[in-house]
Amino acid sequence: MADITFYELPGCPYCAKVRTKLEALGLDYDTIEVPRSHAERTDVETVSGQTGVPVITDEAHGVEGMPESDDIVEYLEETYGDGAA
């Protein structure tokens, strides 16, 4: 099981942006596809407090339920990409 879990909805352009960054950085991650209906997105709501996607968790760095594609991409770049210390 990977440290990063990625909650996504197939066909979501914001999710595709995050997936592209995960793959560009060569990161190992698990994917959970959420239902189309927001009312049925209990898994992602449990970890993030909301039903929108994309959302990631990163056990290695204590990230629990980070939403918003731009924030996620920035986090991934700073933590795993060229911005990593």
Side-chain angles (χ1 to χ4, degrees):
M1 183 170 178
D3 287 333
I4 297 173
T5 302
F6 174 42
Y7 294 81
E8 71 168 336
L9 179 66
C12 163
Y14 303 105
C15 297
K17 180 178 183 177
V18 172
R19 177 181 288 281
T20 298
K21 178 54 75 173
L22 287 162
E23 292 176 0
L25 294 171
L27 297 173
D28 185 28
Y29 62 95
D30 295 320
T31 300
I32 297 176
E33 291 185 6
V34 300
R36 287 220 168 269
S37 168
H38 281 264
E40 297 175 16
R41 295 181 184 180
T42 54
D43 288 348
V44 74
E45 187 173 20
T46 298
V47 300
S48 69
Q50 48 93 52
T51 59
V53 288
V55 167
I56 66 161
T57 62
D58 185 354
E59 291 182 27
H61 293 91
V63 173
E64 298 177 9
M66 177 183 286
E68 301 298 330
S69 60
D70 288 340
D71 293 344
I72 295 169
V73 167
E74 181 180 346
Y75 164 78
L76 293 171
E77 184 61 41
E78 288 177 359
T79 306
Y80 297 101
D82 292 338

